[in-house]
Amino acid sequence: MNEILAQVLTVGTLAVILAKTTPILLAAIGGGLSQVGNILNIGLEGLMLVGAFAGIAIGAVTNPYVGVLAALGAGVLLALVYAVASLVFKADYIVVGIGTNLLAIGITVLLLTVLYGNAGVTPGDVKSVLPKIDLGPVGDIPVIGPIFDDHTILVWIALLLVPVYWFVLYRTRYGVHLRAVGEDEPAALAAGIRVLRVKFLSIIVSGALCGLAGAQLAMASVGSFTAGMTSGRGFIVVAAVIFAAGRPVPTLVVCLIFGAADGLADRLALGGVNSSLALLTPYVITIAALVIAALRIRAAVTARTRRGLAQLTA
C-alpha cells in the first residue's frame, strides 16, 4: 500500500491530472456555452471523436499544428449538422445528440477502413504528436515548475479560456443575450434578441472547442487514433456541464475533479491496482455528480414553486 501511495502522490501525478483535465475542460466550456442558452448537447462525445480523428489524419501528413486546426474544423462541421437539425428543422436536442454520437462513430470507422484498411486503429506510421512547451527556468521552480512544464499548447489554451469564458458570459452583449435566451426565450424574443443566431453560434463554438478537446486527447502523447478512443469522456463532460450549470469557475473545479479521477486511475493502474477497478473511478464520480446535480435542481424547483405559491397567497 505504501508503495502505491508513494507512486500516486507525486508532483508527476499533478502534471498528469492537468493533462487529463484539458480535454474535459475544453469540451465543458463549449458544452457550458450551449447549456447557458438552454441547449443540453449530449453530442459532445461525437464532436470530440471527429476532432481526434481529423487531428491525427491531417497532422500526420502535414504537421501537428495543422492537425489541431483540422480537429477544430471537424468539430465545427459536425456541430453545424447538429445546429441545422436541432434549430432549423426543430428536431429534439437529445435525439440529435444521440444521432451525432452515432454519426461520429460511423464516420471515423468508415474513414479508418477506407484510408488505412483497418477499422480499429491508425497504422504505426500515421503519427502526429503535439510538441511540448518548455518553460525554461520556470520549469525549475520546485513543485510548481514540474506541474506546468512540458505540456502542449492546448493545455494553456484551456486554462486561458476559463477567464475568457467568464468575460464573454458576463461582460459582453452576446453573453447577456445568451443568458437571456437560456432564462426566458419568449421574453428574449420579445426584447428583439435574435434567438436562433445566438443559439447557433453557441453550438458552433461548442463544436470548435470539442474538436480541440479531441486533438488534445489523441495528440498529446499517443499520437494515433483508435476507434471510440473518447471512451465516454463526452458523457463525463455532459455531467460536468450539468453539475456546473455553465458557470466558468465551477466548470473549472468540476473538470479538475474529473481530471484527477482519470489521472489517479492511470497512476493506480501503474501502481498495481486492478486496472478495471481503477478505470471505474471517473464514472463512479460522474454518477455521483449527476445525482447531486439532480437533487440540487429539484431543491431549486421546489423553492421556486413555494415562492410562487406564497406570492399567489399574498
Side-chain angles (χ1 to χ4, degrees):
M1 176 61 78
N2 290 334
E3 293 180 359
I4 294 174
L5 290 176
Q7 186 166 353
V8 170
L9 302 177
T10 64
V11 174
T13 300
L14 296 177
V16 170
I17 288 172
L18 182 58
K20 293 284 187 180
T21 299
T22 297
I24 299 174
L25 180 58
L26 285 167
I29 292 173
L33 194 67
S34 60
Q35 172 69 4
V36 171
N38 200 27
I39 299 174
L40 179 59
N41 185 357
I42 66 168
L44 302 177
E45 175 94 354
L47 297 172
M48 292 172 67
L49 192 62
V50 295
F53 178 83
I56 296 298
I58 302 300
V61 296
T62 54
N63 69 69
Y65 292 111
V66 175
V68 169
L69 293 177
L72 186 151
V76 168
L77 187 61
L78 189 57
L80 184 62
V81 174
Y82 180 96
V84 170
S86 59
L87 297 179
V88 178
F89 294 104
K90 307 298 182 183
D92 183 83
Y93 294 127
I94 303 299
V95 174
V96 176
I98 294 171
T100 300
N101 291 332
L102 295 175
L103 179 62
I105 293 171
I107 286 177
T108 51
V109 170
L110 174 63
L111 291 176
L112 278 172
T113 305
V114 172
L115 297 177
Y116 308 115
N118 186 335
V121 64
T122 50
D125 58 342
V126 179
K127 290 277 187 181
S128 183
V129 179
L130 274 171
K132 304 295 192 296
I133 297 176
D134 185 1
L135 298 181
V138 176
D140 297 327
I141 299 175
V143 182
I144 295 177
I147 294 174
F148 292 98
D149 198 18
D150 287 330
H151 286 293
T152 68
I153 190 173
L154 291 177
V155 172
W156 295 103
I157 289 175
L159 294 175
L160 288 172
L161 278 175
V162 176
V164 170
Y165 177 39
W166 180 90
F167 182 82
V168 169
L169 209 55
Y170 299 110
R171 291 293 184 270
T172 65
R173 183 179 181 183
Y174 175 77
V176 172
H177 287 180
L178 182 65
R179 287 185 288 119
V181 168
E183 291 171 5
D184 194 335
E185 186 171 323
L189 277 170
I193 296 174
R194 301 177 68 175
V195 172
L196 182 63
R197 185 174 68 176
V198 169
K199 287 188 172 184
F200 204 96
L201 183 57
S202 72
I203 294 173
I204 297 303
V205 174
S206 176
L209 294 179
C210 286
L212 293 180
Q216 169 69 12
L217 189 63
M219 303 171 70
S221 56
V222 180
S224 62
F225 178 84
T226 304
M229 70 180 301
T230 45
S231 301
R233 285 179 178 84
F235 298 106
I236 291 176
V237 172
V238 172
V241 168
I242 293 172
F243 190 82
R247 295 167 297 170
V249 175
T251 296
L252 173 61
V253 173
V254 173
C255 289
L256 282 170
I257 292 172
F258 284 124
D262 200 2
L264 289 174
D266 284 358
R267 288 289 180 165
L268 287 171
L270 291 174
V273 178
N274 182 282
S275 59
S276 297
L277 181 62
L279 291 173
L280 277 176
T281 307
Y283 304 103
V284 171
I285 293 179
T286 300
I287 293 172
L290 287 173
V291 170
I292 294 171
L295 293 174
R296 188 179 62 189
I297 292 170
R298 181 181 296 177
V301 171
T302 302
R304 191 180 302 118
T305 302
R306 287 175 178 172
R307 286 196 300 268
L309 291 174
Q311 290 173 357
L312 287 174
T313 304

